[in-house]
Amino acid sequence: MERTLAIVKPDGVSRGLIGDVIKRIEGRGLKIVAAKMLHMNRAQAEGFYAVHRERPFFGDLTAFMSSGPAVAMVLAGENAIARWRELMGATDYRKAAEGTIRREFATDIEKNVVHGSDAPDTAAFEIGYFFNRFEIVA
Ligand code: CMP
């Protein structure tokens, strides 16, 4: 059993895509074991994306991620990290496979509707960033 962090980003929330994203997660057999809506401030978004702080898009990305509410979830299942990444599609929606969330809904490489952890160590950091152990069901 593996855990990963999923986020419906501010563009996904404002466009009314929370239900669609959750339907795909559950339809794929991944279990939602924690969920909350939150509006990050700039510093919180910078902390979450600290691995990207040297990248040219860091300023825009953290402004966008703190621009409105987002929904953070912990997903659990066998190979949850890879399965959630498969459902999302590639970061660049133009390269994302047909039928993926980003291919269908993203409008921009930054406003790409959803986020997912890319490896077990980043998943552990990202889950701990938003949830304590009492907020994650067994
Ligand atoms: P995410 O999976 O949340 O991880 C980093 C985010 O940075 C990415 O999705 C995009 O929203 C954003 N981003 C903006 N520009 C780029 C880029 N050129 N390459 C990768 N990520 C980018």
Side-chain angles (χ1 to χ4, degrees):
M1 198 58 100
E2 188 175 67
R3 286 173 175 176
T4 189
L5 185 86
I7 300 177
V8 184
K9 295 185 179 185
D11 59 330
V13 172
S14 68
R15 291 168 62 203
L17 297 174
I18 300 169
D20 206 304
V21 170
I22 288 177
K23 197 163 185 63
R24 287 164 187 249
I25 289 168
E26 293 184 328
R28 186 65 210 284
L30 288 165
K31 285 256 173 284
I32 298 170
V33 294
K36 66 171 73 162
M37 178 175 271
L38 69 159
H39 186 159
M40 280 187 274
N41 64 29
R42 189 69 179 262
Q44 289 165 335
E46 287 171 357
F48 179 72
Y49 279 118
V51 290
H52 294 307
R53 72 183 160 264
E54 306 300 338
R55 309 282 285 271
F57 56 81
F58 183 69
D60 279 353
L61 173 63
T62 55
F64 162 57
M65 289 300 287
S66 57
S67 68
V71 174
M73 292 177 274
V74 180
L75 313 183
E78 212 163 296
N79 295 315
I81 295 171
R83 284 163 67 201
W84 172 229
R85 291 181 73 78
E86 233 174 79
L87 278 179
M88 290 193 298
T91 304
D92 182 350
Y93 70 102
R94 292 165 300 190
K95 296 181 186 142
E98 285 296 336
T100 60
I101 294 169
R102 285 167 169 167
R103 179 61 174 257
E104 290 196 16
F105 300 118
T107 52
D108 182 301
I109 192 165
E110 176 180 280
K111 294 178 182 60
N112 59 1
V113 186
V114 281
H115 168 83
S117 311
D118 62 2
D121 57 333
T122 49
F125 167 77
E126 292 181 356
I127 290 168
Y129 199 78
F130 291 115
F131 297 96
N132 69 43
R133 64 199 158 101
F134 303 109
E135 297 173 313
I136 303 173
V137 301

